[in-house]
Amino acid sequence: MSDIHFSPRLALAGNPNCGKTALFNSLTGGRQKVGNYPGVTVEKKEGIILRDDGVVVRILDLPGTYSLDAKTPDEMIARDVLMGKVEGEDRPDVILAVADANSLERNLGLVLEMKALGYPIVLALNMMDLAHERGAEIDLTVLSSELGIPVFPTVAIKKEGVATLLTQAIEAAKGNPGQNPVSIEWHPPTIKEVQDRFKRVDEILLASVKKSARPLIWSEKLDRIVLHPVWGSVILVTVLAVVFQAIFIWATAPADLIKDGIEALGNFVGSAMGPGPLNSLLVDGVIKGVGSVLVFLPQILLLFFFLLLLEDTGYMARAAFLMDRVMGKVGLHGRAFIPLLSSFACAIPGIMATRTIENKRDRLTTILVAPLMTCSARLPVYSLLIAAFIPNSSVWGPIRLQGLVMLLLYFGGAAAALGMAWIFKRTLLKGAKPPLMLELPTYKIPSWRSILYGLRERAWIFIRRAGTVILAITIILWFVASYPKAPEGASEPPIHYSYAGRVGHAIEPVLKPLGFDWRIGIAFIPGFAAREVMISALATVYSIEGKDDEATAGALTDVLKSQWSVATALSLMVWYILACQCLSTLAVTRRETNSWRWPAFMLAYMTVLAYGASFITYSVARMMGLG
Amino acid sequence: MTSPRCRLGEMSAGMSGVIVNTSGPIELRRRLLEMGLLEGSVVTLVHEAPFGGDPIAVRVRGALLALRRNEANLIEVSRENEGEK
Amino acid sequence: MSFQEGIALLIVGVAAGFIFRKFYLQYLALPLSNFFLRKGKVALAMRVRASAKKSGCSDDCSCD
């Protein structure tokens, strides 16, 4: 057989928290394609390895699962891929099973279950370094012969043993090139079968493990504080506060750098060519518009950095444990905490993450309130408004008012989400409280490499978005804000006579009670495609308008400071917390719920909520003399 | 000698015992088993969540597992060997 | 119309085309394909569906 055409397909399978993703990153060096399985929104990660010997290996990273007895859509995909039941997905040639060497008692159950499917299997005994540190002595030869499959020790995050593992997996595939049966039927096991499976695990471990790993003392000690009824809550609040302070403070220097660069570029382009429509398009539209969004790259990367860090260290599951009671109070599952927390990044992965919730009503409730959590696209808007209207004075020591307001806005979103969940669970979606079952993994030193890969991916997505959708919308906005041109001898700035100006003026009466003028109205419309476009839209509108007007020609924060009242700014902040200004969220809700009813309901309730709350905010602020 | 038996959901932090029986709907029961809450396994209640001590975190088969007292009550525990450690 | 204006409007046209195409692939192509399918025009439906798949984009944030 010629090796050139030999391209085995490996499926990486294992329990959650066994270091599967780290192993995947180690194997593929981060060269991976992230997509979705057809028809469902479970994330599909595939990597390709080009080996020196010419063999091309394709690796599929299956979602982590405790057993083939799947409960959630994620677990079902893992099972269905192995059964050869996923459309357009060939059955793998070899299963690369991953088990945490520190937790074999639990991890081997799945290995036995997969072995029964009849695949060639190679087992990676991961996190071996930690197992050694904890004093574990495992006889790999005995383990291998008892299990009946080859076993290799690995330390994925240090790339130890990974090359050998890959070679062995390829060897195993060679003995079995695409010879697997097309489809395997699967039946849920009986209680007895599950019990027997684990009995067998115990027998295997009795024979092969001479000394089991000592408990990880520092992890347990840490838990005594982190999960402490009182200190645990204090720590949770502190962690969240530190994250939001850091997002605001650390991002300042790089953001200023980007801002200066964009300004210099704008000045250069503006003076390099004669004045005219193209000049205006490039400077007012493209550079000002896209630049005003790019400035927020550092903040978004910081947010994702912290989210990845919390996930990687194992703190996220603890937060879900601590929050279960609070979530339970409003009728939600502790697991709903994780989708809601990922909604801080973006409501869409958040809504997709609800697939780990088994109960349908619970899932719907979580989907409906997820967009109230402050997503990263809102961060630029908040930052801009805070920078313009909130003084950066010290409140108490190093805690500054700006960071505090940011935290408050995030809390506002979370409170709104919980409040609405409470209402939904009592009216539309009544139901019993579903069970909670959650593993709290031992703490881990985070793998900087995985975090780096994650951040690189996020940065790339953000820049690509700015360079495509946001760029295109900004260009179109420039057009509708510049045409038709003002008539001869017009008294108002040209934008008044443009299409955008007319639309803005037309919807102004509706927005007036909230303190928003026609310019904000203009910015709302493209903001529906992507929230952060609101900023580039404002930048473009003011930039075009300000051509002959000194007051509106400066940096956007200065412009807003001179043009808006504090009441308007506060009202807009509240609007942004609550309004459902995101087409993609509605689309993903449509797909996840399989009906137009729920996205329509979502849009309606959020708009009513936002309008009401903004109106109250504006009125109260004006009464307090901030108008 | 009769062994003191109780339900996992009735225990408080620091108590441990051996699982002797699980009950409940088959789906849920299978889930409990898959997570390692099997007859014969030693289980220790290590943490109680704030605001009322529910959910709880138990150590079983080398892992730390969070569940609510409601489900924990499906698990019967013998506390016979408590003293031995 | 000046030279600058001509170029500017050309860029606007390209941007509008891009946005429309994106919107079509993401939100219209699949329902349209289903509509044709119900009408019994299978070949047409398959063609529309193939174009929707080519975008390779899901609604997740990673792709727009």
Side-chain angles (χ1 to χ4, degrees):
Chain A
M1 179 171 63
S2 156
D3 272 357
I4 308 294
H5 303 292
F6 176 60
S7 73
R9 291 172 51 82
L10 271 52
L12 214 55
N15 284 16
N17 310 312
C18 66
K20 196 164 55 64
T21 303
L23 186 61
F24 181 72
N25 283 336
S26 251
L27 282 164
T28 59
R31 273 184 309 277
Q32 45 189 268
K33 207 173 66 189
V34 181
N36 280 320
Y37 288 100
V40 290
T41 38
V42 174
E43 194 176 70
K44 171 183 168 183
K45 269 184 159 180
E46 194 168 23
I48 289 184
I49 307 171
L50 297 164
R51 279 172 45 104
D52 294 339
D53 57 7
V55 177
V56 180
V57 186
R58 286 173 300 164
I59 301 189
L60 195 61
D61 187 14
L62 296 178
T65 180
Y66 291 107
S67 80
L68 296 178
D69 183 14
K71 292 285 192 303
T72 67
D74 269 27
E75 297 168 355
M76 275 175 211
I77 275 292
R79 182 176 80 207
D80 288 351
V81 167
L82 295 180
M83 301 294 150
K85 278 189 186 155
V86 177
E87 183 199 342
E89 198 62 60
D90 293 332
R91 275 166 49 101
D93 300 309
V94 167
I95 297 179
L96 220 173
V98 189
D100 176 358
N102 302 278
S103 183
L104 290 176
E105 285 176 284
R106 167 191 311 272
N107 280 230
L108 288 186
L110 178 66
V111 176
L112 288 181
E113 225 181 337
M114 291 193 296
K115 185 178 169 243
L117 294 179
Y119 276 101
I121 299 191
V122 175
L123 176 63
L125 223 49
N126 199 25
M127 307 196 222
M128 272 308 270
D129 54 342
L130 187 63
H132 281 307
E133 265 170 50
R134 291 170 66 177
E137 281 177 38
I138 305 167
D139 189 328
L140 294 181
T141 326
V142 176
L143 182 63
S144 173
S145 70
E146 285 284 327
L147 281 168
I149 56 179
V151 177
F152 300 95
T154 58
V155 184
I157 57 168
K158 294 182 192 153
K159 290 200 167 194
E160 284 173 29
V162 173
T164 320
L165 178 73
L166 184 62
T167 310
Q168 293 303 319
I170 293 170
E171 281 306 314
K174 270 182 189 163
N176 184 356
Q179 298 301 310
N180 294 314
V182 184
S183 173
I184 306 169
E185 282 306 313
W186 181 86
H187 301 286
T190 60
I191 297 287
K192 176 94 173 38
E193 279 170 330
V194 180
Q195 288 168 337
D196 287 348
R197 192 195 311 145
F198 279 95
K199 256 183 213 138
R200 179 76 193 118
V201 169
D202 286 341
E203 284 166 23
I204 293 172
L205 292 179
L206 198 65
S208 58
V209 176
K210 280 183 247 154
K211 250 188 207 160
S212 50
R214 284 188 300 271
L216 201 57
I217 304 293
W218 69 270
S219 182
E220 287 183 13
K221 274 194 180 153
L222 198 55
D223 265 340
R224 257 178 249 161
I225 305 165
V226 172
L227 296 182
H228 188 273
V230 178
W231 295 119
S233 316
V234 174
I235 289 171
L236 182 62
V237 172
T238 312
V239 164
L240 294 178
V242 166
V243 167
F244 291 116
Q245 287 281 330
I247 286 174
F248 219 77
I249 295 166
W250 295 356
T252 315
D256 283 348
L257 215 64
I258 296 176
K259 197 162 75 190
D260 292 347
I262 288 162
E263 230 160 78
L265 184 68
N267 289 338
F268 171 75
V269 172
S271 57
M273 67 168 82
L278 185 58
N279 186 324
S280 168
L281 169 66
L282 292 180
V283 177
D284 302 329
V286 173
I287 297 175
K288 275 237 168 95
V290 174
S292 60
V293 171
L294 274 185
V295 167
F296 296 100
L297 180 63
Q299 282 193 332
I300 286 179
L301 287 185
L302 273 171
L303 175 71
F304 277 104
F305 169 75
F306 284 114
L307 281 178
L308 288 168
L309 192 69
L310 293 182
E311 181 73 61
D312 236 39
T313 49
Y315 187 73
M316 206 72 115
R318 265 108 185 146
F321 173 76
L322 291 170
M323 290 299 290
D324 182 69
R325 188 71 178 182
V326 177
M327 306 297 276
K329 276 263 184 339
V330 301
L332 281 178
H333 200 288
R335 268 205 184 159
F337 185 72
I338 294 168
L340 291 184
L341 205 62
S342 27
S343 296
F344 277 141
C346 174
I348 288 142
I351 287 173
M352 298 199 306
T354 60
R355 288 181 157 254
T356 56
I357 300 170
E358 294 157 34
N359 182 287
K360 201 159 177 264
R361 284 155 185 276
D362 259 53
R363 210 180 137 217
L364 250 176
T365 311
T366 313
I367 288 175
L368 284 176
V369 302
L372 286 170
M373 304 300 284
T374 298
C375 65
S376 57
R378 275 179 251 197
L379 186 59
V381 182
Y382 288 173
S383 301
L384 178 75
L385 294 176
I386 287 176
F389 293 96
I390 308 295
N392 192 22
S393 52
S394 170
V395 180
W396 182 70
I399 297 175
R400 299 192 164 268
L401 190 58
Q402 289 192 337
L404 207 65
V405 170
M406 179 68 90
L407 187 63
L408 215 67
L409 291 172
Y410 272 81
F411 264 127
L418 293 183
M420 289 315 292
W422 187 82
I423 293 172
F424 290 145
K425 280 299 280 188
R426 255 151 208 81
T427 51
L428 279 175
L429 299 160
K430 271 188 213 160
K433 215 159 78 172
L436 167 90
M437 236 161 278
L438 189 69
E439 188 186 348
L440 308 177
T442 46
Y443 290 100
K444 277 192 209 69
I445 309 291
S447 152
W448 298 113
R449 200 189 305 134
S450 322
I451 290 182
L452 208 66
Y453 286 150
L455 285 185
R456 199 176 60 185
E457 198 180 313
R458 281 296 142 189
W460 173 234
I461 288 167
F462 184 78
I463 290 168
R464 196 174 52 195
R465 211 168 132 88
T468 55
V469 177
I470 293 177
L471 174 67
I473 293 175
T474 313
I475 291 171
I476 294 167
L477 195 76
W478 171 85
F479 174 76
V480 296
S482 305
Y483 289 84
K485 292 176 194 161
E488 289 292 328
S491 53
E492 300 275 341
I495 195 167
H496 274 260
Y497 304 97
S498 68
Y499 298 118
R502 286 179 210 173
V503 171
H505 280 296
I507 60 173
E508 194 175 29
V510 184
L511 300 177
K512 197 94 198 172
L514 311 183
F516 304 158
D517 66 358
W518 57 275
R519 296 180 195 85
I520 301 177
I522 294 174
F524 272 172
I525 296 163
F528 220 89
R531 278 194 176 94
E532 60 270 48
V533 174
M534 152 96 182
I535 289 187
S536 59
L538 279 177
T540 303
V541 167
Y542 277 110
S543 182
I544 292 173
E545 187 185 14
K547 269 287 126 91
D548 324 297
D549 183 357
E550 276 304 305
T552 56
L556 192 53
T557 42
D558 301 329
V559 175
L560 297 187
K561 224 184 278 184
S562 69
Q563 297 283 308
W564 293 1
S565 68
V566 177
T568 295
L570 290 177
S571 170
L572 192 60
M573 285 180 195
V574 170
W575 174 269
Y576 253 81
I577 294 176
L578 301 171
C580 181
Q581 282 203 306
C582 180
L583 214 52
S584 315
T585 301
L586 295 173
V588 79
T589 306
R590 147 88 184 91
R591 206 172 53 180
E592 293 292 314
T593 58
N594 227 340
S595 108
W596 281 110
R597 236 184 25 208
W598 291 113
F601 175 73
M602 181 190 268
L603 180 64
Y605 100 80
M606 288 180 71
T607 307
V608 169
L609 195 66
Y611 197 93
S614 282
F615 178 70
I616 293 169
T617 308
Y618 185 62
S619 310
V620 170
R622 283 221 309 187
M623 268 190 276
M624 288 166 61
L626 298 169
Chain B
M1 184 177 88
T2 53
S3 57
R5 285 190 177 191
C6 68
R7 301 190 174 278
L8 183 57
E10 296 163 353
M11 296 181 10
S12 51
M15 289 164 78
S16 71
V18 177
I19 298 177
V20 286
N21 197 17
T22 58
S23 55
I26 179 155
E27 289 268 318
L28 185 55
R29 207 171 149 208
R30 218 158 50 207
R31 195 70 174 172
L32 292 170
L33 296 179
E34 306 274 15
M35 297 297 279
L37 292 160
L38 296 138
E39 284 88 342
S41 297
V42 178
V43 60
T44 312
L45 200 158
V46 269
H47 300 286
E48 294 174 336
F51 313 116
D54 193 15
I56 53 175
V58 300
R59 191 167 299 287
V60 64
R61 290 178 82 85
L64 193 60
L65 205 64
L67 71 169
R68 296 213 186 99
R69 292 199 183 262
N70 219 359
E71 282 81 56
N73 273 336
L74 300 173
I75 297 161
E76 208 178 333
V77 174
S78 155
R79 305 196 54 239
E80 194 171 8
N81 302 327
E82 174 71 341
E84 291 179 21
K85 269 278 149 184
Chain C
M1 202 198 299
S2 69
F3 172 70
Q4 273 213 11
E5 190 160 23
I7 301 283
L9 292 181
L10 193 72
I11 296 176
V12 171
V14 170
F18 174 82
I19 288 291
F20 178 76
R21 180 175 167 275
K22 186 144 189 79
F23 186 79
Y24 167 78
L25 291 178
Q26 205 165 341
Y27 300 111
L28 298 181
L30 234 76
L32 196 68
S33 156
N34 291 338
F35 171 77
F36 283 137
L37 207 61
R38 271 200 301 278
K39 291 267 160 184
K41 292 177 181 155
V42 177
L44 195 58
M46 293 320 276
R47 239 194 9 248
V48 173
R49 187 177 293 259
S51 78
K53 273 205 175 140
K54 225 182 295 168
S55 83
C57 259
S58 60
D59 301 309
D60 100 35
C61 274
S62 62
C63 207
D64 51 337

